[in-house]
PDB file of all heavy atoms in Angstrom:
ATOM      1  N   THR A 315     -53.969  29.186  -0.485  1.00 96.00           N
ATOM      2  CA  THR A 315     -54.733  28.897  -1.670  1.00 96.00           C
ATOM      3  C   THR A 315     -54.002  29.148  -2.970  1.00 96.00           C
ATOM      4  O   THR A 315     -52.986  29.862  -2.988  1.00 96.00           O
ATOM      5  CB  THR A 315     -56.071  29.697  -1.730  1.00 96.00           C
ATOM      6  OG1 THR A 315     -55.705  31.069  -1.853  1.00 96.00           O
ATOM      7  CG2 THR A 315     -56.890  29.480  -0.480  1.00 96.00           C
ATOM      8  N   GLY A 316     -54.498  28.585  -4.066  1.00 96.00           N
ATOM      9  CA  GLY A 316     -53.853  28.761  -5.346  1.00 96.00           C
ATOM     10  C   GLY A 316     -54.681  28.055  -6.413  1.00 96.00           C
ATOM     11  O   GLY A 316     -55.877  27.892  -6.265  1.00 96.00           O
ATOM     12  N   ILE A 317     -54.002  27.601  -7.462  1.00 97.00           N
ATOM     13  CA  ILE A 317     -54.686  26.860  -8.521  1.00 97.00           C
ATOM     14  C   ILE A 317     -53.750  25.705  -8.948  1.00 97.00           C
ATOM     15  O   ILE A 317     -52.609  25.623  -8.503  1.00 97.00           O
ATOM     16  CB  ILE A 317     -54.888  27.733  -9.781  1.00 97.00           C
ATOM     17  CG1 ILE A 317     -53.556  28.187 -10.355  1.00 97.00           C
ATOM     18  CG2 ILE A 317     -55.820  28.903  -9.447  1.00 97.00           C
ATOM     19  CD1 ILE A 317     -53.659  28.876 -11.701  1.00 97.00           C
ATOM     20  N   ILE A 318     -54.297  24.822  -9.756  1.00 97.00           N
ATOM     21  CA  ILE A 318     -53.501  23.738 -10.352  1.00 97.00           C
ATOM     22  C   ILE A 318     -52.738  24.435 -11.539  1.00 97.00           C
ATOM     23  O   ILE A 318     -53.383  24.913 -12.451  1.00 97.00           O
ATOM     24  CB  ILE A 318     -54.340  22.593 -10.912  1.00 97.00           C
ATOM     25  CG1 ILE A 318     -55.019  21.818  -9.735  1.00 97.00           C
ATOM     26  CG2 ILE A 318     -53.521  21.657 -11.749  1.00 97.00           C
ATOM     27  CD1 ILE A 318     -53.999  21.062  -8.888  1.00 97.00           C
ATOM     28  N   SER A 319     -51.443  24.482 -11.433  1.00 97.00           N
ATOM     29  CA  SER A 319     -50.628  25.136 -12.431  1.00 97.00           C
ATOM     30  C   SER A 319     -50.298  24.213 -13.616  1.00 97.00           C
ATOM     31  O   SER A 319     -50.095  24.658 -14.722  1.00 97.00           O
ATOM     32  CB  SER A 319     -49.327  25.670 -11.804  1.00 97.00           C
ATOM     33  OG  SER A 319     -49.597  26.551 -10.700  1.00 97.00           O
ATOM     34  N   ALA A 320     -50.159  22.908 -13.289  1.00 96.00           N
ATOM     35  CA  ALA A 320     -49.812  21.930 -14.365  1.00 96.00           C
ATOM     36  C   ALA A 320     -50.061  20.543 -13.771  1.00 96.00           C
ATOM     37  O   ALA A 320     -50.240  20.365 -12.573  1.00 96.00           O
ATOM     38  CB  ALA A 320     -48.362  22.073 -14.768  1.00 96.00           C
ATOM     39  N   LYS A 321     -50.108  19.559 -14.689  1.00 95.00           N
ATOM     40  CA  LYS A 321     -50.308  18.165 -14.260  1.00 95.00           C
ATOM     41  C   LYS A 321     -49.181  17.302 -14.839  1.00 95.00           C
ATOM     42  O   LYS A 321     -48.445  17.734 -15.727  1.00 95.00           O
ATOM     43  CB  LYS A 321     -51.649  17.631 -14.798  1.00 95.00           C
ATOM     44  CG  LYS A 321     -52.885  18.364 -14.266  1.00 95.00           C
ATOM     45  CD  LYS A 321     -54.138  17.822 -14.947  1.00 95.00           C
ATOM     46  CE  LYS A 321     -54.383  16.377 -14.680  1.00 95.00           C
ATOM     47  NZ  LYS A 321     -55.649  15.887 -15.250  1.00 95.00           N
ATOM     48  N   ASN A 322     -49.017  16.157 -14.241  1.00 93.00           N
ATOM     49  CA  ASN A 322     -48.028  15.173 -14.731  1.00 93.00           C
ATOM     50  C   ASN A 322     -46.586  15.727 -14.761  1.00 93.00           C
ATOM     51  O   ASN A 322     -45.848  15.492 -15.678  1.00 93.00           O
ATOM     52  CB  ASN A 322     -48.411  14.659 -16.132  1.00 93.00           C
ATOM     53  CG  ASN A 322     -49.767  14.080 -16.169  1.00 93.00           C
ATOM     54  OD1 ASN A 322     -50.177  13.275 -15.308  1.00 93.00           O
ATOM     55  ND2 ASN A 322     -50.563  14.446 -17.200  1.00 93.00           N
ATOM     56  N   ARG A 323     -46.259  16.448 -13.704  1.00 92.00           N
ATOM     57  CA  ARG A 323     -44.891  16.942 -13.611  1.00 92.00           C
ATOM     58  C   ARG A 323     -44.011  15.852 -13.057  1.00 92.00           C
ATOM     59  O   ARG A 323     -44.249  15.356 -11.914  1.00 92.00           O
ATOM     60  CB  ARG A 323     -44.838  18.154 -12.639  1.00 92.00           C
ATOM     61  CG  ARG A 323     -45.456  19.422 -13.204  1.00 92.00           C
ATOM     62  CD  ARG A 323     -44.700  19.926 -14.438  1.00 92.00           C
ATOM     63  NE  ARG A 323     -45.087  21.308 -14.724  1.00 92.00           N
ATOM     64  CZ  ARG A 323     -44.824  21.912 -15.856  1.00 92.00           C
ATOM     65  NH1 ARG A 323     -44.186  21.264 -16.797  1.00 92.00           N
ATOM     66  NH2 ARG A 323     -45.175  23.163 -16.046  1.00 92.00           N
ATOM     67  N   PRO A 324     -42.952  15.464 -13.757  1.00 91.00           N
ATOM     68  CA  PRO A 324     -42.038  14.455 -13.261  1.00 91.00           C
ATOM     69  C   PRO A 324     -41.181  15.021 -12.132  1.00 91.00           C
ATOM     70  O   PRO A 324     -40.505  16.001 -12.301  1.00 91.00           O
ATOM     71  CB  PRO A 324     -41.181  14.047 -14.437  1.00 91.00           C
ATOM     72  CG  PRO A 324     -41.209  15.261 -15.304  1.00 91.00           C
ATOM     73  CD  PRO A 324     -42.534  15.881 -15.124  1.00 91.00           C
ATOM     74  N   VAL A 325     -41.270  14.448 -10.934  1.00 90.00           N
ATOM     75  CA  VAL A 325     -40.548  14.955  -9.803  1.00 90.00           C
ATOM     76  C   VAL A 325     -39.827  13.845  -9.057  1.00 90.00           C
ATOM     77  O   VAL A 325     -40.439  12.836  -8.748  1.00 90.00           O
ATOM     78  CB  VAL A 325     -41.493  15.620  -8.778  1.00 90.00           C
ATOM     79  CG1 VAL A 325     -40.741  16.107  -7.549  1.00 90.00           C
ATOM     80  CG2 VAL A 325     -42.251  16.808  -9.436  1.00 90.00           C
TER      81      VAL A 325
END
Side-chain angles (χ1 to χ4, degrees):
T315 65
I317 62 170
I318 290 293
S319 304
K321 298 175 61 177
N322 304 314
R323 288 297 195 194
V325 177

